[in-house]
Amino acid sequence: MQHRKYPFVFGFLAVPVALYLTFVISPFAQAFYISMTSWRGFAPPKWIGFDNYRRLADDGTFWKAVQHNGILLLVLPLVTIALALLFAFLINVGGGSRSGTMSGVWGSKFYRVVFFFPQLLAVPIVAVLFQTVYRPNSSGLINGFLMKLGLEPVGFLINPKLALWAIIAALVWQCVGFYVVLFSAGMASIPKDIYEAAALDGAGGVTLFFRVTLPLLWDTLQVAWVYLGIAAFDAFAIVNVLSVDNGGPDGTTTVLSVEIYRNAFAFSRYGYASAMGVALFFFTLTFAALTLRVTRRESIEF
């Protein structure tokens, strides 16, 4: 029977592997090839080697987009994970010990639903909602309130110094609910006896969080950081819908994915756009590899 297992395994995996090669690996390979050409979408591609990559090195718009992705990469995971950890901790063990059992704050089940609700909305819908929130007149949610207080309206999306931060705030609002649920699931898997033993030894909420929750939730945090980093490298939909002139004003909110879209579909520079896509691929791959390497630690059994 031993020799019969190989045809069975091959037959079982042949179709999934073929589909993966066709719809995942093949587009990657085509993107690498197109990035070496000056293809504009009509005539046959003309091979130009690494000229597109040399052009990237001198492209100020490209590096401005990289800078904005870097800001997203730093701020989005930090703020989202910090808020999600805080909310998840309050929902699961923030209420302290009740009847000898650790529990969340009052109404924790309701808060789970509230926090997760933005995750049910598509990113473009979130962007449209925040267009209403940031509208620079009395019909805007924030500016309407400010104007009632006698304050001047704030141009959140038209002020070059505020636009990127306004978009980051919308991204955090959209992302945080998923990670509240993710961290809540991780905390639920931690035996309550550990929390109760620490509480009996006199540990307060802060000590429980940093000495018990964080170490036992480390693997989940590592995954969350990678996912949020990938989201920070993308951010196409919300920037494209929420920003002024697709990455404005004056390019202050543009990111790599927006520049790829603009070069491909607005300027028909598919070879150059593919070179940007390849650069984005390696940025993302490098980030994921470094994050998993730097944050690697021994698993704690419980």
Side-chain angles (χ1 to χ4, degrees):
M1 298 296 293
Q2 183 73 15
H3 67 281
R4 295 183 181 179
K5 73 176 183 179
Y6 297 108
F8 173 77
V9 172
F10 177 78
F12 186 77
L13 294 178
V15 174
V17 170
L19 290 173
Y20 184 79
L21 290 173
T22 302
F23 294 107
V24 179
I25 302 301
S26 175
F28 280 136
Q30 291 178 51
F32 282 115
Y33 168 71
I34 294 171
S35 72
M36 298 288 189
T37 69
S38 60
W39 189 44
R40 299 186 66 87
F42 304 101
K46 180 182 178 182
W47 183 266
I48 59 173
F50 290 95
D51 285 356
N52 284 325
Y53 294 99
R54 297 189 188 98
R55 184 178 170 188
L56 279 181
D58 298 324
D59 188 345
T61 302
F62 169 76
W63 289 111
K64 183 184 289 186
V66 171
Q67 180 184 359
H68 296 157
N69 276 116
I71 294 172
L72 280 166
L73 185 62
L74 178 64
V75 177
L76 180 62
L78 279 174
V79 176
T80 303
I81 289 175
L83 289 175
L85 276 174
L86 173 63
F87 295 148
F89 183 78
L90 293 174
I91 286 172
N92 286 275
V93 295
S97 179
R98 297 176 185 173
S99 303
T101 304
M102 299 297 293
S103 60
V105 296
W106 183 85
S108 57
K109 292 182 180 180
F110 172 74
Y111 295 140
R112 282 191 178 94
V113 176
V114 171
F115 286 133
F116 191 73
F117 175 73
Q119 195 64 34
L120 302 177
L121 303 176
V123 177
I125 295 176
V126 172
V128 171
L129 288 174
F130 272 86
Q131 282 180 334
T132 303
V133 173
Y134 291 143
R135 198 170 290 163
N137 51 43
S138 60
S139 63
L141 184 63
I142 297 177
N143 282 316
F145 177 74
L146 292 177
M147 293 176 73
K148 287 182 179 180
L149 296 177
L151 301 175
E152 290 293 324
V154 179
F156 291 100
L157 298 176
I158 59 177
N159 187 331
K161 295 181 179 180
L162 295 177
L164 183 61
W165 300 106
I167 291 174
I168 291 174
L171 271 172
V172 170
W173 184 86
Q174 195 267 336
C175 290
V176 72
F178 173 80
Y179 293 96
V180 169
V181 174
L182 179 67
F183 295 149
S184 293
M187 291 178 190
S189 67
I190 300 173
K192 297 294 184 182
D193 295 345
I194 298 177
Y195 285 112
E196 291 164 9
L200 288 173
D201 288 339
V206 175
T207 303
L208 284 175
F209 181 77
F210 286 102
R211 295 295 182 91
V212 178
T213 302
L214 277 184
L216 297 181
L217 209 61
W218 189 258
D219 291 342
T220 307
L221 284 170
Q222 188 183 51
V223 172
W225 198 280
V226 173
Y227 282 177
L228 282 165
I230 294 172
F233 275 117
D234 181 12
F236 169 77
I238 198 163
V239 171
N240 197 50
V241 176
L242 197 54
S243 65
V244 178
D245 296 329
N246 298 333
D250 298 327
T252 52
T253 61
T254 191
V255 290
L256 282 173
S257 54
V258 170
E259 290 305 315
I260 292 169
Y261 178 85
R262 193 202 313 272
N263 278 277
F265 300 106
F267 307 136
S268 296
R269 297 196 291 244
Y270 293 98
Y272 192 57
S274 295
M276 286 188 177
V278 171
L280 178 59
F281 168 77
F282 280 109
F283 284 150
T284 307
L285 192 65
T286 301
F287 162 77
L290 285 176
T291 300
L292 293 174
R293 176 67 178 176
V294 171
T295 60
R296 186 173 63 182
R297 57 182 294 177
E298 294 183 5
S299 298
I300 300 176
E301 300 290 340
F302 56 86

